[in-house]
Amino acid sequence: IDVADLAMLTGLSKPTLWRHHEAGLIPAGCKIGRAVRWRLRTGDPATGVLDWIEAGCVLPRDTGAEGLS
């Protein structure tokens, strides 16, 4: 999915999602050319957006910190 779809799914704004992407706070995106796309479901909260949401929005780079609110 693209950033617009991810924004609708998460309720976060596109700029916020880009900041979280750069900081590693959301699942890793897949770069295709100049575009970034996210996988919906992979079975791993670090790479699948729906898996990440179902896991309570845990940080993909698990540092023991709380998930996003």
Side-chain angles (χ1 to χ4, degrees):
I1 63 174
D2 64 11
V3 72
D5 293 332
L6 187 58
M8 287 179 37
L9 190 63
T10 62
L12 298 173
S13 70
K14 288 189 247 181
T16 297
L17 287 168
W18 286 120
R19 282 193 303 275
H20 287 344
H21 172 69
E22 292 297 321
L25 299 176
I26 62 174
C30 179
K31 193 155 176 140
I32 303 170
R34 293 190 306 176
V36 177
R37 299 291 185 262
W38 285 264
R39 295 173 185 93
L40 275 177
R41 188 172 300 279
T42 64
D44 180 4
T47 56
V49 173
L50 291 177
D51 302 312
W52 173 69
I53 292 169
E54 289 170 0
C57 300
V58 296
L59 297 175
R61 297 179 188 159
D62 191 2
T63 59
E66 294 293 322
L68 298 176
S69 50

